[in-house]
Every structure is written in structure tokens, then in C-alpha cells.
Amino acid sequence: MIEVTGTDPDGDPIARPLGWKAEQGRMPVIFMRPERAGQPALAPGSGCWRG
């Protein structure tokens, strides 16, 4: 599961994995694909997504 945490300079959503542990190393930054036409835009605090 991931959580949208912000946007990049182009306005595309950025996310982080939930439950990431320090022993797993540096937390990755996840750049999300644009939504399909007709789908609501992802935004910080908009919930979680399972891939």
C-alpha cells in the first residue's frame, strides 16, 4: 500500500510506501502515472492505493 504525500514540480503525485522500516534501507519515492480519463486526480491525503 502507498500513500500520496505530495506533488512534483509538474503537479504529478508522489507517494511513499506505508509500513516502510528503517532496516529496509532508504525509503523510495514513488512517482505515480497520470490517472485515466474520467478518474479523480490523486492528491496528498486522498487515501491509499494497492497495486
Side-chain angles (χ1 to χ4, degrees):
M1 289 178 48
I2 61 171
E3 175 183 32
V4 177
T5 57
T7 56
D8 68 10
D10 295 324
D12 295 323
I14 299 173
R16 68 176 179 86
L18 292 177
W20 190 265
K21 296 181 177 28
E23 60 268 11
Q24 293 175 280
R26 186 175 177 191
M27 182 182 297
V29 175
I30 302 167
F31 294 90
M32 305 297 293
R33 285 186 176 174
E35 299 80 17
R36 293 182 185 144
Q39 295 288 350
L42 295 172
S46 64
C48 301
W49 179 82
R50 293 178 213 233

